Amino acid sequence: YDLSKGSATVCDAAGNLLFYTDGNIVWDKNNDVMANGWDINNDGNLAVNTCFIEPVFGQSSYNFDGVVIMPVPGNSHKYYVFSVPLIWNINSINLYENVWQGKMYACIIDMEANNGLGAVDSGYRGKVIAEEMAGNLHAVLGEDCNYWLLGFGSTGVYKAFNITAGGIDTLPVTSTLTPPLNPYVSELNLSPDRRKMAMALSHEVQVADFNPATGVFANDFSIAAQECR
């Protein structure tokens, strides 16, 4: 498996596998492609000569850790899959290459479908939720029966999308922190108490406070890697 690709897995309360995904393909607990689970970000409206699944070799597009599975609030058997993938684009010599577009896509998995093996909802797939995303995503519980979907924007701001039983608020809470020394994000994570964030950016880690009630990041500082001697 290509380590530069993100992935996500979800289990039930007893720890039994439900499904897993690389953000473009969804596999069920039997390691088969889930019903309607191929090329989940493609809703049929892509530009000519673009796709998410390479048409010759069947490879899945890169997403640089930009994939998250999240329960649909208020629903016991449905899950969101969010991803920020590259697309395959045919170039001038008829070869496909990965192209970054910075869009965040969403689909819904219904685990009551297909005799409990699950299926991707054909009416909710390939939904563009946001633009100008850098590819790193993280999910965390909020304080009001909600979830926050956290990501780093390609314009240099942190974005927190509020997700409730009423749906996805596509207007995120944004926080502008000290610009990082390196723009290439690697990994974003939160502490178990949801009050501290750390994001690796090449040879630097940015640390900040996070407020799970408001979705705001603040009080950041950076930890630079020391040279080996």
Side-chain angles (χ1 to χ4, degrees):
Y1 192 79
D2 193 327
L3 295 179
S4 63
K5 295 181 181 179
S7 61
T9 303
V10 67
C11 299
D12 63 18
N16 301 304
L17 176 66
L18 293 179
F19 66 91
Y20 57 99
T21 179
D22 66 356
N24 292 294
I25 305 169
V26 183
W27 291 268
D28 65 25
K29 65 181 181 181
N30 296 325
N31 302 311
D32 297 320
V33 175
M34 182 177 281
N36 204 26
W38 180 261
D39 209 12
I40 60 174
N41 299 312
N42 187 354
D43 64 354
N45 293 319
L46 288 180
V48 176
N49 293 329
T50 63
C51 60
F52 290 104
I53 305 298
E54 206 279 333
V56 177
F57 301 105
Q59 299 178 46
S60 185
S61 171
Y62 294 98
N63 57 51
F64 300 109
D65 202 38
V67 54
V68 159
I69 299 170
M70 180 189 299
V72 173
N75 192 296
S76 62
H77 60 273
K78 291 187 177 181
Y79 296 83
Y80 288 115
V81 173
F82 297 98
S83 63
V84 185
L86 286 82
I87 60 172
W88 291 100
N89 182 41
I90 194 168
N91 61 26
S92 59
I93 55 175
N94 293 323
L95 294 175
Y96 277 87
E97 58 186 357
N98 268 319
V99 177
W100 185 251
Q101 61 173 186
K103 292 182 179 180
M104 182 170 72
Y105 293 83
C107 73
I108 287 179
I109 310 294
D110 184 351
M111 289 307 302
E112 286 191 341
N114 196 27
N115 298 314
L117 290 174
V120 177
D121 186 340
S122 60
Y124 198 105
R125 54 176 287 154
K127 301 291 186 181
V128 177
I129 303 301
E131 308 268 357
E132 298 181 332
M133 299 295 292
N136 208 318
L137 300 176
H138 189 83
V140 64
L141 278 170
E143 298 281 87
D144 191 24
C145 298
N146 66 313
Y147 287 91
W148 292 105
L149 178 63
L150 309 177
F152 189 65
S154 58
T155 55
V157 299
Y158 287 86
K159 299 181 180 183
F161 297 85
N162 190 20
I163 300 175
T164 68
I168 304 166
D169 188 347
T170 57
L171 183 63
V173 176
T174 59
S175 303
T176 303
L177 304 182
T178 304
L181 298 177
N182 192 308
Y184 301 107
V185 299
S186 177
E187 179 71 25
L188 186 154
N189 219 321
L190 263 71
S191 60
D193 67 359
R194 302 169 296 152
R195 294 320 197 259
K196 287 289 184 181
M197 176 277 295
M199 186 168 73
L201 303 107
S202 186
H203 302 299
E204 172 192 17
V205 176
Q206 188 170 45
V207 179
D209 294 334
F210 177 72
N211 187 330
T214 64
V216 172
F217 296 90
N219 304 320
D220 63 290
F221 62 93
S222 294
I223 303 172
Q226 299 296 315
E227 284 190 75
C228 296
R229 299 186 184 277

